Amino acid sequence: MGNGTESDDGRNPDDDERTSDVGQAGHDGRTGHDGQARDVGTQAGDARRPGYDGTGPGAITPDGCAVEMWSLLPVRDEPDVIGAAVPAGASLLELGCGVGRVTHPLADRGFAVTAVDESAEMLARVRPDVRTVRSPIERLDLGERFDVVLLGSFLVHAGDPAVRQGLLETCRRHVAEDGCVLVQREGEDWHRTVPRERRLGDGWGRILSATPVGDGVNSVLAEYEFPGGRWTQTFLARPLSTAAFEQALAEAGLTVERYLTADRTWVLARPSTEPPEGPPNR
């Protein structure tokens, strides 16, 4: 699951004992004595989400991501940013892990990673030494707490506020009281500076358009070109000012502690000591 040119990879995970299929929140998804999650709940469907689509070779996930294309993307500075912000060897819940582009470097650095994605095809690319869970993020309830919860790939900009709230509540539900949540957000001008492109390893990623579709939401069209393949993704994204972003976290019981990068796209938040704020009166 991912948006834009920066986000995130066979075996069938349904036949893989390390992968759990988790449905509605509230099912008991606690780990067994062997440390692997059990299959619980209803399976996450592969139907395309409204407003999301993708084209190109190979499988396309519910949010329009092309599995083959994400497998070609190089890892950037994400592991360095994360590694510098959290304790060595921490337990880490990665929400929207995709093919494992960031998962694998984090596991190699000694983090105990649990990788979550709603796509079986994506999870099939994650190494077998990493624990995986198949579920829509907003419905995840493992009954566990982690030192670090990671919500990358700009997922916090989901077009539907209810989905965004569900994503952030999943973060709050799974973070230890003395732990932290790392969130990757868009730059505040990203929807205005289009079209734009950047080099991605052997290929190119381009944001071709960001078209308003009402209620502050844009339909974004991205294109990716690598040797031997071209893909597109259409997705819905809601631009958020710093104030709106911090308010959204507060409504889920999270408080921004600091911004980790100069462009303010990586954020460290902590569980709030006060009750979650309700949405402002409109």
Side-chain angles (χ1 to χ4, degrees):
M1 189 173 185
N3 296 335
T5 61
E6 304 285 337
S7 49
D8 306 334
D9 42 311
R11 306 179 317 275
N12 181 349
D14 294 332
D15 297 327
D16 188 339
E17 292 182 356
R18 71 193 176 89
T19 300
S20 169
D21 286 297
V22 180
Q24 298 287 347
H27 288 289
D28 182 7
R30 296 180 183 276
T31 56
H33 295 299
D34 58 1
Q36 299 298 332
R38 303 304 186 190
D39 290 353
V40 295
T42 59
Q43 290 195 2
D46 286 330
R48 202 65 48 84
R49 291 173 178 245
Y52 294 75
D53 204 357
T55 66
I60 304 294
T61 68
D63 61 347
C65 291
V67 176
E68 296 301 326
M69 189 280 297
W70 293 128
S71 299
L72 297 172
L73 283 181
V75 66
R76 298 181 65 83
D77 64 349
E78 299 97 332
D80 293 333
V81 172
I82 296 163
V86 303
S91 61
L92 189 150
L93 179 67
E94 184 186 6
L95 302 174
C97 66
V99 297
R101 184 180 63 88
V102 175
T103 314
H104 298 150
L106 292 176
D108 290 343
R109 294 182 183 212
F111 292 104
V113 182
T114 295
V116 177
D117 205 277
E118 67 181 344
S119 166
E121 290 86 357
M122 287 285 193
L123 290 175
R125 306 295 179 97
V126 178
R127 291 189 328 224
D129 60 301
V130 176
R131 176 195 179 198
T132 59
V133 177
R134 184 186 176 203
S135 173
I137 297 168
E138 62 270 28
R139 301 213 316 254
L140 183 71
D141 190 350
L142 294 176
E144 300 175 57
R145 298 292 183 120
F146 297 80
D147 300 323
V148 182
V149 178
L150 173 62
L151 184 69
S153 302
F154 316 115
L155 297 177
V156 72
H157 292 273
D160 184 344
V163 172
R164 180 189 67 210
Q165 184 75 2
L167 299 175
L168 292 172
E169 288 177 355
T170 293
C171 293
R172 180 63 181 88
R173 184 162 55 246
H174 289 88
V175 68
E177 290 304 316
D178 59 349
C180 67
V181 175
L182 302 184
V183 182
Q184 187 181 26
R185 63 189 289 256
E186 297 175 342
E188 292 191 21
D189 64 342
W190 284 13
H191 288 251
R192 298 189 296 270
T193 56
V194 292
R196 65 178 186 271
E197 67 178 10
R198 72 179 306 163
R199 191 78 184 179
L200 299 172
D202 294 332
W204 288 91
R206 301 180 181 94
I207 299 296
L208 299 179
S209 62
T211 305
V213 293
D215 192 33
V217 177
N218 291 336
S219 177
V220 180
L221 175 60
E223 176 188 61
Y224 307 91
E225 285 190 277
F226 284 85
R230 176 184 177 275
W231 293 266
T232 67
Q233 182 188 12
T234 302
F235 58 91
L236 300 178
R238 180 181 296 273
L240 295 172
S241 66
T242 297
F245 169 76
E246 294 187 358
Q247 176 66 28
L249 267 65
E251 291 172 12
L254 298 167
T255 301
V256 172
E257 181 176 283
R258 65 183 188 274
Y259 290 82
L260 301 176
T261 53
D263 62 5
R264 297 170 66 84
T265 58
W266 278 100
V267 184
L268 187 148
R270 300 280 185 186
S272 302
T273 56
E274 301 296 328
E277 298 183 17
N281 294 327
R282 306 202 189 281

